[in-house]
Amino acid sequence: MRDDYFYETASGHGLPHDPIKAIVAPRPIGWISTIDAEGRINLAPYSYFNAVCNDPPMVMFSSNGRKDSLRNIEQTGAFACNLVTRDLAQAMNDTSRSVAPEVDEMAMAGLTAVPCRLIAAPRVAEAHAVLECQTLAIHALADLSGRPVNQFMVIGQVVGVHIDKMFLKEGLFDTAGAGVIARCGYASDYAAIDPFQMSRPR
């Protein structure tokens, strides 16, 4: 019989770092760009991010606390998800710094802000794909007892998609060729995507 390490989350894991972040991995990176009511740009990466519906397409990300991204989305009702690839990894990491709301993280990281087509938020020109999103809901999360946990889940409907034609191969987006990366557990762990093919059983 296998020897498992088991713990109840309410009692703590007793390990050097929380293993859940390494178990639920790899996780896509939501590189969220927003703008506030005064026109100030914000760009920040979120590792709690994913697609949640395909028809209509929807994505979500979760914010630990009321960060600038969340406040901007509450003001404008929109955000863009910029694809993080290996060539943009350092720039993405640079935008993870905690800075004042008036600091433009795109400019700080040497990135180019360009307008989106359908929403007020800008997008990262260097990103090989971008999802323009209108906000559907913002949920303040709570635990089993109903206690607020200062975490907020934002759900947006994708209303527009930008794709670098260089990475369209016979009409399919080339995930590996674009160099998509993901979060993979602890603070400095990332993964490059290495897809393989497997057909669904009929």
Side-chain angles (χ1 to χ4, degrees), residues 3 9 27 40 42 45 54 61 82 84 86 90 95 97 100 105 116 123 129 133 142 146 158 162 174:
D3 183 19
T9 55
R27 298 189 307 279
R40 296 179 297 190
N42 182 265
N54 72 318
F61 76 94
N82 303 273
V84 181
R86 188 67 186 87
Q90 187 58 58
T95 64
R97 295 175 183 163
E105 289 89 349
C116 283
R123 61 187 174 91
C133 302
V158 180
H162 300 260
D174 184 3

PDB file of all heavy atoms in Angstrom, residues 3 9 27 40 42 45 54 61 82 84 86 90 95 97 100 105 116 123 129 133 142 146 158 162 174:
ATOM      1  N   ASP A   3       2.378   4.874   0.710  1.00  0.00           N
ATOM      2  CA  ASP A   3       2.491   5.686   1.922  1.00  0.00           C
ATOM      3  C   ASP A   3       2.218   7.144   1.562  1.00  0.00           C
ATOM      4  O   ASP A   3       3.077   7.812   0.986  1.00  0.00           O
ATOM      5  CB  ASP A   3       3.893   5.513   2.525  1.00  0.00           C
ATOM      6  CG  ASP A   3       4.047   6.269   3.831  1.00  0.00           C
ATOM      7  OD1 ASP A   3       3.005   6.607   4.444  1.00  0.00           O
ATOM      8  OD2 ASP A   3       5.189   6.533   4.233  1.00  0.00           O
ATOM      9  N   THR A   9      -6.471  20.723   5.468  1.00  0.00           N
ATOM     10  CA  THR A   9      -6.027  22.075   5.135  1.00  0.00           C
ATOM     11  C   THR A   9      -6.282  23.055   6.274  1.00  0.00           C
ATOM     12  O   THR A   9      -5.543  24.028   6.438  1.00  0.00           O
ATOM     13  CB  THR A   9      -6.710  22.572   3.850  1.00  0.00           C
ATOM     14  OG1 THR A   9      -8.137  22.478   4.004  1.00  0.00           O
ATOM     15  CG2 THR A   9      -6.279  21.732   2.652  1.00  0.00           C
ATOM     16  N   ARG A  27      -0.383  26.116 -14.549  1.00  0.00           N
ATOM     17  CA  ARG A  27      -1.529  27.016 -14.615  1.00  0.00           C
ATOM     18  C   ARG A  27      -1.250  28.104 -15.642  1.00  0.00           C
ATOM     19  O   ARG A  27      -0.171  28.693 -15.647  1.00  0.00           O
ATOM     20  CB  ARG A  27      -1.782  27.665 -13.243  1.00  0.00           C
ATOM     21  CG  ARG A  27      -2.131  26.662 -12.142  1.00  0.00           C
ATOM     22  CD  ARG A  27      -2.576  27.376 -10.865  1.00  0.00           C
ATOM     23  NE  ARG A  27      -1.633  28.374 -10.391  1.00  0.00           N
ATOM     24  CZ  ARG A  27      -0.539  28.079  -9.676  1.00  0.00           C
ATOM     25  NH1 ARG A  27      -0.250  26.826  -9.384  1.00  0.00           N
ATOM     26  NH2 ARG A  27       0.259  29.046  -9.264  1.00  0.00           N
ATOM     27  N   ARG A  40      -5.240  55.821 -16.575  1.00  0.00           N
ATOM     28  CA  ARG A  40      -3.966  55.233 -16.163  1.00  0.00           C
ATOM     29  C   ARG A  40      -3.964  53.737 -16.449  1.00  0.00           C
ATOM     30  O   ARG A  40      -4.909  53.025 -16.100  1.00  0.00           O
ATOM     31  CB  ARG A  40      -3.707  55.493 -14.677  1.00  0.00           C
ATOM     32  CG  ARG A  40      -3.560  56.970 -14.347  1.00  0.00           C
ATOM     33  CD  ARG A  40      -3.319  57.220 -12.876  1.00  0.00           C
ATOM     34  NE  ARG A  40      -4.440  56.781 -12.051  1.00  0.00           N
ATOM     35  CZ  ARG A  40      -4.562  57.052 -10.755  1.00  0.00           C
ATOM     36  NH1 ARG A  40      -3.617  57.754 -10.130  1.00  0.00           N
ATOM     37  NH2 ARG A  40      -5.616  56.631 -10.083  1.00  0.00           N
ATOM     38  N   ASN A  42      -2.729  49.790 -16.295  1.00  0.00           N
ATOM     39  CA  ASN A  42      -2.184  48.801 -15.360  1.00  0.00           C
ATOM     40  C   ASN A  42      -2.004  47.486 -16.103  1.00  0.00           C
ATOM     41  O   ASN A  42      -2.830  47.108 -16.935  1.00  0.00           O
ATOM     42  CB  ASN A  42      -3.116  48.609 -14.165  1.00  0.00           C
ATOM     43  CG  ASN A  42      -2.550  47.634 -13.152  1.00  0.00           C
ATOM     44  OD1 ASN A  42      -2.858  46.450 -13.176  1.00  0.00           O
ATOM     45  ND2 ASN A  42      -1.699  48.124 -12.257  1.00  0.00           N
ATOM     46  N   PRO A  45       0.346  40.178 -13.880  1.00  0.00           N
ATOM     47  CA  PRO A  45       0.112  38.748 -14.123  1.00  0.00           C
ATOM     48  C   PRO A  45      -0.626  38.086 -12.962  1.00  0.00           C
ATOM     49  O   PRO A  45      -0.365  38.393 -11.792  1.00  0.00           O
ATOM     50  CB  PRO A  45       1.544  38.199 -14.243  1.00  0.00           C
ATOM     51  CG  PRO A  45       2.369  39.094 -13.370  1.00  0.00           C
ATOM     52  CD  PRO A  45       1.703  40.441 -13.366  1.00  0.00           C
ATOM     53  N   ASN A  54     -16.908  27.868 -23.199  1.00  0.00           N
ATOM     54  CA  ASN A  54     -16.507  28.056 -24.593  1.00  0.00           C
ATOM     55  C   ASN A  54     -17.588  28.678 -25.459  1.00  0.00           C
ATOM     56  O   ASN A  54     -17.290  29.163 -26.551  1.00  0.00           O
ATOM     57  CB  ASN A  54     -16.047  26.718 -25.202  1.00  0.00           C
ATOM     58  CG  ASN A  54     -17.195  25.759 -25.450  1.00  0.00           C
ATOM     59  OD1 ASN A  54     -18.082  25.634 -24.610  1.00  0.00           O
ATOM     60  ND2 ASN A  54     -17.181  25.075 -26.580  1.00  0.00           N
ATOM     61  N   PHE A  61     -10.147  35.237 -13.657  1.00  0.00           N
ATOM     62  CA  PHE A  61      -8.917  35.307 -12.873  1.00  0.00           C
ATOM     63  C   PHE A  61      -9.291  35.699 -11.456  1.00  0.00           C
ATOM     64  O   PHE A  61     -10.368  36.251 -11.204  1.00  0.00           O
ATOM     65  CB  PHE A  61      -7.891  36.268 -13.482  1.00  0.00           C
ATOM     66  CG  PHE A  61      -8.180  37.731 -13.276  1.00  0.00           C
ATOM     67  CD1 PHE A  61      -7.625  38.432 -12.213  1.00  0.00           C
ATOM     68  CD2 PHE A  61      -8.993  38.424 -14.165  1.00  0.00           C
ATOM     69  CE1 PHE A  61      -7.890  39.778 -12.034  1.00  0.00           C
ATOM     70  CE2 PHE A  61      -9.251  39.784 -13.992  1.00  0.00           C
ATOM     71  CZ  PHE A  61      -8.696  40.459 -12.913  1.00  0.00           C
ATOM     72  N   ASN A  82      -3.449  39.120 -22.052  1.00  0.00           N
ATOM     73  CA  ASN A  82      -2.341  39.087 -22.998  1.00  0.00           C
ATOM     74  C   ASN A  82      -1.563  37.785 -22.822  1.00  0.00           C
ATOM     75  O   ASN A  82      -1.158  37.445 -21.706  1.00  0.00           O
ATOM     76  CB  ASN A  82      -1.430  40.284 -22.750  1.00  0.00           C
ATOM     77  CG  ASN A  82      -2.180  41.606 -22.841  1.00  0.00           C
ATOM     78  OD1 ASN A  82      -2.321  42.181 -23.894  1.00  0.00           O
ATOM     79  ND2 ASN A  82      -2.677  42.089 -21.694  1.00  0.00           N
ATOM     80  N   VAL A  84       1.176  35.126 -22.396  1.00  0.00           N
ATOM     81  CA  VAL A  84       2.564  35.157 -21.937  1.00  0.00           C
ATOM     82  C   VAL A  84       3.342  34.045 -22.621  1.00  0.00           C
ATOM     83  O   VAL A  84       2.998  32.870 -22.519  1.00  0.00           O
ATOM     84  CB  VAL A  84       2.656  34.991 -20.406  1.00  0.00           C
ATOM     85  CG1 VAL A  84       4.111  35.052 -19.957  1.00  0.00           C
ATOM     86  CG2 VAL A  84       1.840  36.069 -19.704  1.00  0.00           C
ATOM     87  N   ARG A  86       7.540  32.682 -23.966  1.00  0.00           N
ATOM     88  CA  ARG A  86       8.906  32.657 -23.438  1.00  0.00           C
ATOM     89  C   ARG A  86       9.652  33.967 -23.704  1.00  0.00           C
ATOM     90  O   ARG A  86      10.423  34.427 -22.855  1.00  0.00           O
ATOM     91  CB  ARG A  86       9.674  31.462 -24.052  1.00  0.00           C
ATOM     92  CG  ARG A  86      11.036  31.213 -23.436  1.00  0.00           C
ATOM     93  CD  ARG A  86      10.924  30.755 -21.996  1.00  0.00           C
ATOM     94  NE  ARG A  86      12.210  30.644 -21.323  1.00  0.00           N
ATOM     95  CZ  ARG A  86      12.822  31.653 -20.704  1.00  0.00           C
ATOM     96  NH1 ARG A  86      12.282  32.866 -20.706  1.00  0.00           N
ATOM     97  NH2 ARG A  86      13.974  31.479 -20.086  1.00  0.00           N
ATOM     98  N   GLN A  90      10.381  37.655 -19.060  1.00  0.00           N
ATOM     99  CA  GLN A  90      11.013  38.623 -18.172  1.00  0.00           C
ATOM    100  C   GLN A  90      10.161  39.873 -18.022  1.00  0.00           C
ATOM    101  O   GLN A  90      10.018  40.422 -16.924  1.00  0.00           O
ATOM    102  CB  GLN A  90      12.407  38.993 -18.674  1.00  0.00           C
ATOM    103  CG  GLN A  90      13.183  39.879 -17.701  1.00  0.00           C
ATOM    104  CD  GLN A  90      13.341  39.244 -16.328  1.00  0.00           C
ATOM    105  OE1 GLN A  90      13.885  38.150 -16.202  1.00  0.00           O
ATOM    106  NE2 GLN A  90      12.854  39.916 -15.283  1.00  0.00           N
ATOM    107  N   THR A  95       6.388  43.054 -14.498  1.00  0.00           N
ATOM    108  CA  THR A  95       5.096  43.683 -14.199  1.00  0.00           C
ATOM    109  C   THR A  95       4.439  43.106 -12.955  1.00  0.00           C
ATOM    110  O   THR A  95       3.344  43.556 -12.571  1.00  0.00           O
ATOM    111  CB  THR A  95       4.127  43.567 -15.396  1.00  0.00           C
ATOM    112  OG1 THR A  95       3.831  42.185 -15.648  1.00  0.00           O
ATOM    113  CG2 THR A  95       4.709  44.207 -16.644  1.00  0.00           C
ATOM    114  N   ARG A  97       5.716  43.435 -10.037  1.00  0.00           N
ATOM    115  CA  ARG A  97       6.108  44.292  -8.916  1.00  0.00           C
ATOM    116  C   ARG A  97       4.908  45.061  -8.370  1.00  0.00           C
ATOM    117  O   ARG A  97       4.014  45.455  -9.117  1.00  0.00           O
ATOM    118  CB  ARG A  97       7.164  45.309  -9.367  1.00  0.00           C
ATOM    119  CG  ARG A  97       8.478  44.700  -9.786  1.00  0.00           C
ATOM    120  CD  ARG A  97       9.411  45.771 -10.331  1.00  0.00           C
ATOM    121  NE  ARG A  97      10.663  45.192 -10.803  1.00  0.00           N
ATOM    122  CZ  ARG A  97      11.514  45.800 -11.600  1.00  0.00           C
ATOM    123  NH1 ARG A  97      11.260  47.028 -12.017  1.00  0.00           N
ATOM    124  NH2 ARG A  97      12.618  45.214 -11.986  1.00  0.00           N
ATOM    125  N   ALA A 100       2.840  51.887  -7.295  1.00  0.00           N
ATOM    126  CA  ALA A 100       1.716  52.799  -7.112  1.00  0.00           C
ATOM    127  C   ALA A 100       0.815  52.810  -8.352  1.00  0.00           C
ATOM    128  O   ALA A 100       1.270  52.526  -9.470  1.00  0.00           O
ATOM    129  CB  ALA A 100       2.246  54.212  -6.839  1.00  0.00           C
ATOM    130  N   GLU A 105       2.905  50.017 -15.793  1.00  0.00           N
ATOM    131  CA  GLU A 105       3.736  48.810 -15.832  1.00  0.00           C
ATOM    132  C   GLU A 105       4.162  48.435 -17.245  1.00  0.00           C
ATOM    133  O   GLU A 105       5.216  47.834 -17.421  1.00  0.00           O
ATOM    134  CB  GLU A 105       3.005  47.624 -15.190  1.00  0.00           C
ATOM    135  CG  GLU A 105       2.845  47.705 -13.692  1.00  0.00           C
ATOM    136  CD  GLU A 105       1.571  48.410 -13.272  1.00  0.00           C
ATOM    137  OE1 GLU A 105       0.896  49.024 -14.139  1.00  0.00           O
ATOM    138  OE2 GLU A 105       1.253  48.356 -12.068  1.00  0.00           O
ATOM    139  N   CYS A 116      -7.231  48.419 -27.790  1.00  0.00           N
ATOM    140  CA  CYS A 116      -8.030  47.271 -28.196  1.00  0.00           C
ATOM    141  C   CYS A 116      -9.090  47.751 -29.190  1.00  0.00           C
ATOM    142  O   CYS A 116      -9.277  48.957 -29.374  1.00  0.00           O
ATOM    143  CB  CYS A 116      -8.702  46.638 -26.970  1.00  0.00           C
ATOM    144  SG  CYS A 116      -7.584  45.620 -25.968  1.00  0.00           S
ATOM    145  N   ARG A 123      -3.945  46.828 -24.886  1.00  0.00           N
ATOM    146  CA  ARG A 123      -3.346  45.508 -24.940  1.00  0.00           C
ATOM    147  C   ARG A 123      -1.842  45.653 -25.138  1.00  0.00           C
ATOM    148  O   ARG A 123      -1.347  46.717 -25.497  1.00  0.00           O
ATOM    149  CB  ARG A 123      -3.955  44.656 -26.061  1.00  0.00           C
ATOM    150  CG  ARG A 123      -3.771  45.229 -27.455  1.00  0.00           C
ATOM    151  CD  ARG A 123      -4.552  44.431 -28.506  1.00  0.00           C
ATOM    152  NE  ARG A 123      -4.487  45.051 -29.816  1.00  0.00           N
ATOM    153  CZ  ARG A 123      -3.571  44.780 -30.745  1.00  0.00           C
ATOM    154  NH1 ARG A 123      -2.622  43.872 -30.500  1.00  0.00           N
ATOM    155  NH2 ARG A 123      -3.592  45.382 -31.905  1.00  0.00           N
ATOM    156  N   ALA A 129      -1.017  36.779 -28.773  1.00  0.00           N
ATOM    157  CA  ALA A 129      -2.475  36.636 -28.785  1.00  0.00           C
ATOM    158  C   ALA A 129      -3.029  37.437 -27.613  1.00  0.00           C
ATOM    159  O   ALA A 129      -2.394  37.543 -26.570  1.00  0.00           O
ATOM    160  CB  ALA A 129      -2.898  35.178 -28.679  1.00  0.00           C
ATOM    161  N   CYS A 133     -11.992  41.384 -23.200  1.00  0.00           N
ATOM    162  CA  CYS A 133     -13.065  40.859 -22.349  1.00  0.00           C
ATOM    163  C   CYS A 133     -13.929  41.965 -21.756  1.00  0.00           C
ATOM    164  O   CYS A 133     -13.416  42.978 -21.280  1.00  0.00           O
ATOM    165  CB  CYS A 133     -12.476  40.050 -21.198  1.00  0.00           C
ATOM    166  SG  CYS A 133     -11.453  38.664 -21.731  1.00  0.00           S
ATOM    167  N   ALA A 142     -15.644  33.501  -0.264  1.00  0.00           N
ATOM    168  CA  ALA A 142     -15.768  33.225   1.165  1.00  0.00           C
ATOM    169  C   ALA A 142     -15.474  31.756   1.407  1.00  0.00           C
ATOM    170  O   ALA A 142     -15.562  30.928   0.493  1.00  0.00           O
ATOM    171  CB  ALA A 142     -17.175  33.578   1.649  1.00  0.00           C
ATOM    172  N   GLY A 146     -18.575  30.916   5.522  1.00  0.00           N
ATOM    173  CA  GLY A 146     -19.126  32.169   5.025  1.00  0.00           C
ATOM    174  C   GLY A 146     -18.257  33.369   5.319  1.00  0.00           C
ATOM    175  O   GLY A 146     -18.630  34.503   5.021  1.00  0.00           O
ATOM    176  N   VAL A 158     -15.251  36.928 -23.512  1.00  0.00           N
ATOM    177  CA  VAL A 158     -14.327  37.319 -24.573  1.00  0.00           C
ATOM    178  C   VAL A 158     -15.144  37.856 -25.743  1.00  0.00           C
ATOM    179  O   VAL A 158     -15.971  37.147 -26.316  1.00  0.00           O
ATOM    180  CB  VAL A 158     -13.455  36.127 -25.021  1.00  0.00           C
ATOM    181  CG1 VAL A 158     -12.496  36.564 -26.131  1.00  0.00           C
ATOM    182  CG2 VAL A 158     -12.687  35.544 -23.847  1.00  0.00           C
ATOM    183  N   HIS A 162      -7.212  38.792 -30.738  1.00  0.00           N
ATOM    184  CA  HIS A 162      -6.098  39.159 -31.617  1.00  0.00           C
ATOM    185  C   HIS A 162      -5.135  37.973 -31.676  1.00  0.00           C
ATOM    186  O   HIS A 162      -4.765  37.425 -30.627  1.00  0.00           O
ATOM    187  CB  HIS A 162      -5.331  40.361 -31.068  1.00  0.00           C
ATOM    188  CG  HIS A 162      -6.164  41.594 -30.903  1.00  0.00           C
ATOM    189  ND1 HIS A 162      -6.148  42.625 -31.814  1.00  0.00           N
ATOM    190  CD2 HIS A 162      -7.031  41.953 -29.925  1.00  0.00           C
ATOM    191  CE1 HIS A 162      -6.975  43.580 -31.398  1.00  0.00           C
ATOM    192  NE2 HIS A 162      -7.511  43.201 -30.259  1.00  0.00           N
ATOM    193  N   ASP A 174      -0.567  27.839 -33.057  1.00  0.00           N
ATOM    194  CA  ASP A 174       0.589  27.003 -32.747  1.00  0.00           C
ATOM    195  C   ASP A 174       1.074  27.324 -31.334  1.00  0.00           C
ATOM    196  O   ASP A 174       1.965  28.146 -31.135  1.00  0.00           O
ATOM    197  CB  ASP A 174       1.691  27.250 -33.778  1.00  0.00           C
ATOM    198  CG  ASP A 174       2.896  26.339 -33.592  1.00  0.00           C
ATOM    199  OD1 ASP A 174       2.863  25.475 -32.692  1.00  0.00           O
ATOM    200  OD2 ASP A 174       3.879  26.512 -34.342  1.00  0.00           O
TER     201      ASP A 174
END
